[in-house]
Amino acid sequence: MSGPIGGAFNYSVFISDEQRRRMLKGLFDNYYGPEYGAEVVFDTKRGAPRCAI
């Protein structure tokens, strides 16, 4: 990739797949903490994706 945003993704080579998995799991586990007792959470505050046709 070229351009100003292309360099932003170079740090991904320093994160292993296992680290990435733990980071994402931690993000969701901490966002949906003990106040959410369900195993599955449906986020109803988001709109449906729109097609650009």
Side-chain angles (χ1 to χ4, degrees):
M1 286 179 74
S2 63
I5 297 177
F9 299 105
N10 290 339
Y11 292 106
S12 64
V13 297
F14 299 113
I15 299 173
S16 70
D17 288 340
E18 179 61 24
Q19 288 172 313
R20 186 175 293 112
R21 187 195 66 78
R22 287 194 316 259
M23 287 173 51
L24 288 172
K25 183 176 182 333
L27 176 75
F28 285 96
D29 286 348
N30 288 303
Y31 182 80
Y32 297 107
E35 57 271 6
Y36 293 95
E39 289 187 29
V40 178
V41 177
F42 292 97
D43 188 352
T44 59
K45 300 294 183 198
R46 300 188 185 269
R50 296 183 179 158
C51 295
I53 297 178

